[in-house]
């Protein structure tokens, strides 16, 4: 069966000796905007494309304000800082995620607490979240504390895995009930909607990524989405070295960060955003082809959760066990089709092996079985 799968995938991406997992696609105004940027000489952190990219993305997602950042990891770090996460705090998140999620909270000096995911979303389970809180945490004066460690639990960070939204309505409800700040790691879900609302706009802050392998790319970059314009203004200030505007003096009023996206990257982003609707339609077409095919050969394909419209950033199949997963990975990569397992669980990495965990049965099941298959935009 593996050879049939390889031939089917190669047939979807003809004229490629080796089919990559996800390649960028440049078919719009990228070169035009890059040339404009170069001709203006404003290729660094000041220029019209930075402002335009922020405004265009806010309009697309429905956020009140958007703030560009140098990459998605630093954007998560800034999001956590903006909601008040401090050194020694705990953050509830999922272990089935890319390392950036946990690296970012570590930059803040915070401690992750790992909660299980739902199988239909691959993202943080609001039911498992509430079960853990009820057993191991307590509210004191509208602040949640871990009964075992005594630490304050400040925030909750779900990740919309491969572009599939988590159960946001229930998650928002749980976070509100326990006074948790919700920060959405929407790095993979540009163009994904939960009941008609774009991911990254449900929490206090949402984060997008524009790495080279994302649905749209700026080469490297990230963005924070805000519904609170004053908070967005503060974030913009702090990510640009906290410099107070002045005709010539260098005055700074906070510890700032040099997390600014260069204008030349934003120029690329503006062009990519223009082509996003077409990219999303092509990716949905590919996902439909995959689903029909894998259903016919008895392999489970990861489809969008009910009530959602996923961007299908990376398509995924779920194999019967780890042994089959490993043999499939070996065969496909040896025969010209790039496939990848899902990430190792964060609690299995040496940096986070001492972190607190809830029951992680779903995470363990999925980590042993999920494989990503080629998902580039087919023109």
């Amino acid at each position: 069966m593996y050879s049939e799968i390889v031939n089917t995938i190669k047939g979807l991406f003809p004229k490629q000796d080796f089919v990559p997992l996800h390649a960028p696609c440049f078919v719009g105004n990228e070169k035009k905007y890059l040339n404009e940027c170069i001709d203006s000489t404003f290729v660094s952190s000041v220029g019209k494309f930075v402002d335009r990219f922020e405004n265009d993305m806010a309009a697309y997602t429905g956020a009140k304000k958007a703030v560009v950042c140098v990459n998605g990891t630093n954007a998560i770090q800034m999001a956590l800082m903006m909601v008040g996460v401090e050194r020694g705090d705990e953050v509830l998140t999922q272990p089935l995620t890319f390392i950036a999620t946990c690296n970012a909270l570590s930059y803040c000096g915070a401690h992750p607490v790992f909660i299980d995911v739902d199988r239909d979303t691959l993202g943080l389970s609001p039911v498992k979240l509430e079960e853990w809180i009820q057993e191991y945490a307590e509210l004191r004066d509208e602040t949640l504390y871990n009964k075992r460690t005594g630490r304050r639990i400040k925030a909750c960070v779900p990740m919309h895995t491969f572009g599939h939204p988590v159960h946001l309505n229930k998650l928002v409800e749980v976070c509100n009930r326990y006074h948790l700040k919700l920060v959405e790691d929407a790095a993979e879900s540009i163009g994904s909607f939960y009941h008609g609302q774009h991911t990254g706009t449900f929490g206090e802050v949402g984060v997008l990524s524009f790495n080279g392998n994302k649905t749209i790319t700026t080469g490297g970059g990230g963005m924070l989405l805000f519904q609170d314009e004053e908070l967005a203004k503060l974030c913009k200030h702090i990510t640009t070295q906290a410099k107070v505007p002045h005709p010539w003096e260098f005055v700074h009023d906070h510890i700032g960060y040099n997390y600014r996206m260069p204008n030349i990257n934003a120029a690329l982003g503006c062009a990519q955003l223009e082509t996003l609707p077409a990219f999303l339609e092509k990716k949905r077409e590919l996902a439909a082809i995959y689903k029909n095919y894998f259903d016919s050969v008895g392999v489970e394909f990861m489809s969008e959760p009910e009530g959602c419209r996923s961007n299908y950033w990376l398509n995924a199949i779920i194999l019967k066990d780890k042994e089959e997963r490993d043999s499939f990975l070996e065969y496909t990569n040896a025969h010209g089709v790039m496939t990848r397992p899902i990430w190792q669980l964060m609690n299995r990495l040496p940096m986070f092996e001492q972190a607190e965990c809830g029951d992680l049965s779903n995470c363990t099941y999925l980590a042993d079985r999920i494989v990503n298959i080629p998902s580039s935009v087919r023109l």
Side-chain angles (χ1 to χ4, degrees):
M1 185 178 72
Y2 292 172
S3 62
E4 179 188 333
I5 292 174
V6 164
N7 290 335
T8 299
I9 293 174
K10 284 188 170 182
L12 293 170
F13 298 92
K15 300 181 181 178
Q16 290 182 288
D17 293 331
F18 188 82
V19 183
L21 198 63
H22 197 288
C25 185
F26 306 110
V27 293
N29 288 315
E30 288 87 355
K31 291 181 180 179
K32 175 185 175 183
Y33 293 166
L34 288 173
N35 284 332
E36 286 182 26
C37 184
I38 291 168
D39 290 343
S40 75
T41 73
F42 289 98
V43 297
S44 191
S45 56
V46 176
K48 70 175 186 178
F49 288 110
V50 171
D51 295 336
R52 176 180 165 184
F53 192 33
E54 289 177 335
N55 292 335
D56 288 354
M57 191 62 74
Y60 177 79
T61 60
K64 292 285 181 62
K65 201 76 176 174
V67 176
V68 289
C69 202
V70 68
N71 58 54
T73 309
N74 292 141
I76 298 172
Q77 177 194 0
M78 291 308 306
L80 292 167
M81 291 174 61
M82 290 298 99
V83 301
V85 172
E86 298 175 349
R87 182 168 297 278
D89 285 343
E90 292 183 349
V91 175
L92 306 178
T93 190
Q94 60 196 69
L96 193 71
T97 186
F98 182 56
I99 188 66
T101 311
C102 292
N103 279 343
L105 68 88
S106 297
Y107 301 161
C108 299
H111 304 273
V113 176
F114 294 121
I115 308 297
D116 207 4
V117 300
D118 288 317
R119 289 196 193 181
D120 64 330
T121 69
L122 311 182
L124 189 68
S125 168
V127 173
K128 294 292 188 72
L129 176 67
E130 185 158 31
E131 288 176 354
W132 186 90
I133 291 172
Q134 288 177 346
E135 184 168 358
Y136 299 112
E138 61 182 1
L139 277 172
R140 305 179 204 157
D141 298 324
E142 298 189 345
T143 301
L144 194 65
Y145 288 90
N146 187 323
K147 291 189 289 188
R148 295 189 292 191
T149 65
R151 298 186 187 118
R152 180 177 70 164
I153 306 171
K154 185 64 180 180
C156 174
V157 182
M159 202 268 279
H160 303 301
T161 308
F162 306 145
H164 298 299
V166 303
H167 293 297
L168 280 160
N169 283 348
K170 177 64 175 175
L171 193 61
V172 169
E173 178 190 328
V174 173
C175 287
N176 288 341
R177 187 181 312 127
Y178 293 101
H179 303 278
L180 291 169
K181 299 295 186 180
L182 178 58
V183 173
E184 290 178 70
D185 183 347
E188 301 174 357
S189 64
I190 177 68
S192 293
F193 292 82
Y194 177 84
H195 294 282
Q197 183 175 338
H198 197 284
T199 53
T201 63
F202 287 80
E204 196 98 358
V205 191
V207 170
L208 303 175
S209 171
F210 309 114
N211 191 34
N213 65 347
K214 293 298 191 294
T215 304
I216 64 172
T217 183
T218 58
M223 187 171 284
L224 298 99
L225 304 177
F226 292 90
Q227 300 301 344
D228 184 332
E229 294 191 38
E230 287 303 310
L231 197 61
K233 184 178 179 181
L234 174 62
C235 183
K236 183 73 172 180
H237 182 58
I238 291 178
T239 56
T240 53
Q241 298 286 28
K243 186 178 184 298
V244 178
H246 191 280
W248 59 83
E249 288 285 1
F250 289 92
V251 180
H252 306 262
D253 59 0
H254 286 81
I255 298 295
Y257 297 81
N258 185 16
Y259 287 173
R260 303 168 289 189
M261 176 183 283
N263 195 43
I264 199 163
N265 295 83
L268 194 61
C270 289
Q272 286 272 284
L273 186 54
E274 291 173 349
T275 57
L276 177 60
F279 286 179
L280 293 172
E281 286 304 314
K282 291 295 183 182
K283 289 177 76 62
R284 291 185 66 81
E285 288 177 10
L286 176 61
I289 293 170
Y290 273 147
K291 177 170 173 51
N292 288 335
Y293 171 71
F294 283 108
D295 283 352
S296 72
V297 296
V299 174
E300 183 178 355
F301 177 79
M302 182 65 197
S303 297
E304 61 193 359
E306 185 178 353
C308 299
R309 187 173 178 86
S310 299
N311 67 359
Y312 286 103
W313 169 54
L314 285 185
N315 291 296
I317 55 175
I318 304 174
L319 299 173
K320 68 178 182 180
D321 53 32
K322 189 175 185 297
E323 183 179 2
E324 184 178 68
R325 184 204 72 171
D326 291 346
S327 63
F328 181 80
L329 288 166
E330 183 175 352
Y331 185 91
T332 50
N333 282 282
H335 289 80
V337 172
M338 179 183 270
T339 58
R340 287 291 182 268
I342 202 167
W343 319 280
Q344 288 194 30
L345 297 181
M346 294 297 103
N347 59 297
R348 293 176 176 173
L349 300 179
M351 308 83 74
F352 305 114
E353 62 185 4
Q354 300 303 317
E356 283 203 60
C357 301
D359 167 58
L360 301 179
S361 53
N362 286 338
C363 287
T364 303
Y365 177 90
L366 293 166
D368 287 345
R369 291 165 174 79
I370 288 182
V371 172
N372 290 124
I373 54 180
S375 304
S376 302
V377 173
R378 295 170 65 245
L379 297 177

